[in-house]
Amino acid sequence: MKWFQKSNIIFSIMVFLKMGLILYFGLLILQYPLIGIEVEHRNGKWIVEHVYDKGWATKNKVEKGDIVQAINGIDPGEHKTVIRFNSVEKAKSITIADQQANTNTYAISYKDVDVQYFMYLFLPLLLCLATFFLGLFFYCANKEESSAMILVCFLFSLGLCYLSAPVSARADLIGRMTVTVTFPGSLVLLIHFLKSYFSKHHLEFVKDRMINILYIAYFLVLTSHFFFNGEPRAFTRMVELVFFILLVCLLLFLLARLYYKYKHSEGKTIIQILLTAFVIAFSPFIILYAIPHIFWGKGFVSAELASMFLLVIPLAFVYLQRAKKLFDIEFLLGRLQYYALLSFALTTFAIIILITVFDMKILSGSAFLFFFLFFIVAILFLYIKEYIDYRLRHHLFCQKNHVEANLHNFFQKAKHETKVNGFIASLLREIKEVLRVKEVHYINIQENKDLNRWIVKNQQEFSFSEEIEQVNWRNCHPGSLIEVQTGFCVVIGEHYHVKEIIFCGLKKYKTTLNIQEKIWLENIAYFSSVLLENFKLIEGLFEEIEHYHKTRQNENESYPSWLSRLLFSLSEKERMNLSIDLHDTILQDQLQLLRDIEAIKTKMTDPYLKESMYHVKETILDNIHLIRETCNELRPPFLSELGLIQSIQNLIERVKLRSNFLLHADLDPTIQRMVPEDELTVYRVIQELLNNAMKHSKASEVSISLKKINRGFMLSYIDNGIGIRMSELNDSFKTMGIYGIKERVRSMGGKIKIESAQNQGLKVQILYRQGDNEIDQSVNCG
């Protein structure tokens, strides 16, 4: 609580301080345009040593070597900015003698430098206010976290650094102190915040010792301003830029290392977004300003322009804070490589034309600025184009010449096909309509290894067969497009040494396929190959089932075991879905109704109504119990967690509570885990036997035994009930329970023996050994 109160006080001080500095810097920039003159006192004169490119002086043809005679009507040596920094700034008028001895007095105003409003006031003020309000937002949303204060310090520092830079250029003491403190300090705070942020998510970004070292280095850079008197501005500026570049490199290195360390975790997308945002934010400043300024004393563009991309950082933090779903950064970065290559070629071509037409210098700042901005705009254009293509042409490839939509429409129609021949006929019609070719044929070709060539297997003769047979189809897979003299072929299926292809004749006017049509044809062929293979499998399955039905219908035999196993698997899945639906809907509604009744009952005073409500409550409780029992019947509870023996024991305990016979159970505890499907089969068989005993047997005593044998088990069931007629045993409608038990045993590869007679009870013996595939279909009578 103490820390919370202390942080509130610190935050309030920071807010008032930043608001005051924003107001001060904004008014100063509005009042004084950037003049951009550095002077040196020689022989009693104040001589111009340097003129800034973007200042008022450049616009008014002030050159190096001119003499400044007066500032605001007084001697330059008495002007504050000249005294402190040898800079002519914060002046309303200036008198200058040029090198031809012409003396002119100028009134300094923004009318000669309108662009300064945008460059030195609007952009810096926009970023500063954005970081200010974001800082307020993040602190109010996460004020109890220590990392929130560090993030606020970073955002405030970043905004003040950008806004104080043009004030520092005007030789204002507060402005220069602010930019000196915030320029390298903002990056140190950013690294500190990321360390705290990732630590909260149990990710090691950087050690505490490194943070301490960074703060020490930061204070050493600050103190360098007080120890160099020769050329303090130039030297300290270089020290600041070098330190800033090192900090950016360290930041990117730490994030890259963190990404490779945790690239298989859920946090990798956040790391990728931050890494991408920092690269976009800092690269323009370093490449276009900092590095050129260190080596050549002048950046390709101004620091204010190169710093515009710092806006990306607060935007990235807002996105990560507010977004519930993160965009696919890997997809965007993958696209970036391709788009950057295209944009680079286009930008290079454009810059060559610009240099040639306007006689621009290759290494000039304007050329670099144009190249950079054109490159960025081209990449953004390609991303926007991709999004517009998706919105306006949503389906992959409906108009006559839009083959993309036809691909979508075809597969919408194809889903209603169930036969291979029907699907192929639909595919041939679609290709002929879309590509407007003269002829389309479905062809089978087979490899003849003796002749070392491919042979057309269709009974129908084609004039183009010889062309097709000359192609080596061995390495052609579904989706491959091959052009021949009289048309083109596409592979839609393959099986061993047989290829299934579609031959298309030439288009109208004998034109070739365009790129879009080729892409469409390759895609439809590839996806059709998948559908074709599935259609063949389904047809084969139906044929096999039909074969069993025809050959065994007179032998009174069941379907094969693999089919029984499949059907039981589907049945269990439906049981499970029904159980989940009952539990999540009807049962929850009943429970909520019970709670509502309890709440109403507490408010009742009428005894008769209370008694009625009590009976309603008991009925609902019975319904809840019944629904739970039904869910347990549909899906054995905790079978996979408790194991087979314990689950059967629980089943037996429930049966004892509901039945009117004596139940003896002998379960072998040494039975180990089996295949989950087999465990479920055994459980269902015992469940069905006990249900049959309760509903139909009229037995007074039931015994059930499950014993372990070599590589399997033996299940025995005996009751003293009314039994069943053996002549009715194979009638699935009269003995549905027993018939289902037989099919379940057969499906798992077991053997079943059933003995019964009228009024002599029922005896069932099931034998299962792992690895036995043959099932004894006989039923013995005793």
Side-chain angles (χ1 to χ4, degrees), residues 73-84:
I74 61 174
D75 184 74
E78 299 178 10
H79 191 65
K80 289 183 179 180
T81 63
V82 175
I83 297 171
R84 291 174 179 167

Side-chain angles (χ1 to χ4, degrees), residues 305 381 453 473 542 624 650 721 749:
L305 189 62
F381 171 78
R453 61 178 295 178
W473 296 94
F542 276 117
I624 291 172
N650 293 343

Side-chain angles (χ1 to χ4, degrees), residues 11 27 48-49 62 126 188 190 197 200 252 271 274 410 417 507 554 559 569 580 724 768 775 778:
F11 178 73
L27 291 174
V48 176
E49 282 294 316
V62 178
L126 176 65
V188 176
L190 177 58
Y197 175 79
K200 185 178 68 175
L252 298 181
I271 301 171
L274 289 175
F410 170 71
E417 295 288 347
K507 293 171 61 179
N554 296 323
Y559 282 115
S569 177
I580 292 172
I724 59 176
Y768 170 76
I775 304 173
S778 62

Side-chain angles (χ1 to χ4, degrees), residues 211-371:
I211 297 296
N212 295 333
I213 293 174
L214 289 177
Y215 277 111
I216 292 172
Y218 166 64
F219 285 113
L220 289 176
V221 170
L222 290 182
T223 55
S224 66
H225 288 270
F226 303 100
F227 292 99
F228 298 98
N229 299 318
E231 257 186 321
R233 181 64 179 160
F235 184 81
T236 54
R237 184 65 173 167
M238 184 178 295
V239 171
E240 288 174 358
L241 288 174
V242 171
F243 185 58
F244 184 84
I245 293 173
L246 291 175
L247 287 175
V248 171
C249 292
L250 176 63
L251 172 64
L252 298 181
F253 167 77
L254 292 173
L255 279 174
R257 185 184 67 174
L258 188 70
Y259 171 74
Y260 284 107
K261 187 175 181 180
Y262 299 102
K263 61 182 177 181
H264 298 298
S265 66
E266 293 182 358
K268 75 165 189 176
T269 304
I270 295 176
I271 301 171
Q272 283 180 315
I273 292 174
L274 289 175
L275 187 57
T276 305
F278 294 151
V279 170
I280 295 174
F282 294 121
S283 295
F285 181 83
I286 292 175
I287 297 172
L288 299 179
Y289 179 77
I291 294 177
H293 194 281
I294 292 171
F295 289 99
W296 298 290
K298 182 181 178 181
F300 295 136
V301 298
S302 66
E304 291 78 13
L305 189 62
S307 302
M308 283 172 29
F309 292 88
L310 293 174
L311 276 168
V312 174
I313 296 177
L315 291 177
F317 282 123
V318 170
Y319 176 77
L320 292 175
Q321 174 74 15
R322 304 301 297 173
K324 295 181 180 179
K325 296 181 180 179
L326 302 179
F327 55 76
D328 191 347
I329 187 68
E330 288 187 358
F331 172 78
L332 295 179
L333 293 177
R335 276 287 194 267
L336 181 62
Q337 298 174 10
Y338 174 62
Y339 289 163
L341 183 62
L342 294 178
S343 301
F344 182 82
L346 181 62
T347 305
T348 302
F349 179 73
I351 200 72
I352 291 173
I353 294 178
L354 189 69
I355 291 172
T356 304
V357 173
F358 296 99
D359 196 24
M360 184 185 295
K361 293 182 180 180
I362 297 178
L363 298 179
S364 65
S366 300
F368 275 97
L369 179 61
F370 178 82
F371 183 91

Side-chain angles (χ1 to χ4, degrees), residues 422-441:
F423 175 74
I424 292 176
S426 298
L427 180 59
L428 295 178
R429 284 196 304 270
E430 188 72 17
I431 293 175
K432 191 170 184 178
E433 290 174 6
V434 173
L435 300 182
R436 289 165 294 172
V437 293
K438 295 179 180 180
E439 54 182 336
V440 184
H441 301 283

Side-chain angles (χ1 to χ4, degrees), residues 520-723:
W520 176 83
L521 188 57
E522 289 174 349
N523 280 325
I524 200 172
Y526 177 77
F527 291 121
S528 295
S529 68
V530 179
L531 286 176
L532 194 60
E533 185 177 352
N534 287 330
F535 281 143
K536 289 179 179 180
L537 290 173
I538 292 170
E539 279 195 359
L541 178 61
F542 276 117
E543 289 173 2
E544 190 171 350
I545 293 173
E546 188 66 23
H547 171 72
Y548 274 104
H549 179 69
K550 288 180 179 180
T551 57
R552 301 191 179 187
Q553 61 182 350
N554 296 323
E555 301 175 11
N556 199 24
E557 292 191 12
S558 303
Y559 282 115
S561 60
W562 60 266
L563 182 57
S564 297
R565 196 177 189 91
L566 173 62
L567 295 176
F568 281 122
S569 177
L570 295 174
S571 173
E572 289 297 338
K573 185 176 180 181
E574 290 304 315
R575 283 168 174 257
M576 183 182 70
N577 292 336
L578 179 57
S579 173
I580 292 172
D581 290 341
L582 286 173
H583 181 276
D584 294 344
T585 56
I586 299 176
L587 180 59
Q588 300 307 315
D589 292 341
Q590 294 291 313
L591 290 172
Q592 182 60 46
L593 184 59
L594 181 64
R595 286 191 285 268
D596 293 341
I597 288 174
E598 288 283 0
I600 295 171
K601 188 179 175 183
T602 57
K603 299 176 182 179
M604 286 183 174
T605 55
D606 190 325
Y608 176 76
L609 289 177
K610 275 193 172 184
E611 181 69 20
S612 300
M613 194 62 72
Y614 173 79
H615 292 301
V616 173
K617 175 185 172 183
E618 290 299 313
T619 302
I620 293 175
L621 285 173
D622 291 340
N623 291 338
I624 291 172
H625 177 74
L626 180 61
I627 294 170
R628 283 179 171 155
E629 285 295 311
T630 304
C631 290
N632 291 338
E633 293 284 337
L634 290 170
R635 183 178 58 173
F638 309 113
L639 180 59
S640 58
E641 291 84 358
L642 300 177
L644 178 62
I645 299 300
Q646 185 60 49
S647 297
I648 295 174
Q649 186 64 50
N650 293 343
L651 172 64
I652 290 171
E653 295 298 329
R654 293 199 301 271
V655 171
K656 286 181 178 180
L657 293 174
R658 293 182 295 170
S659 63
N660 55 2
F661 53 74
L662 186 62
L663 178 57
H664 304 282
D666 184 12
L667 304 178
D668 190 346
T670 62
I671 294 178
Q672 301 297 319
R673 288 279 186 176
M674 295 185 291
V675 177
E677 290 82 359
D678 292 344
E679 285 187 342
L680 184 57
T681 298
V682 174
Y683 183 90
R684 289 297 188 200
V685 166
I686 295 175
Q687 185 181 46
E688 187 60 40
L689 288 170
L690 293 175
N691 285 339
N692 182 73
M694 286 190 293
K695 295 177 182 179
H696 309 295
S697 71
K698 298 181 181 180
S700 61
E701 190 171 351
V702 175
S703 297
I704 193 163
S705 170
L706 183 62
K707 296 291 184 181
K708 181 179 179 182
I709 61 173
N710 186 27
R711 295 185 297 110
F713 63 86
M714 177 182 290
L715 173 63
S716 299
Y717 169 89
I718 302 174
D719 70 40
N720 61 353
I722 61 175

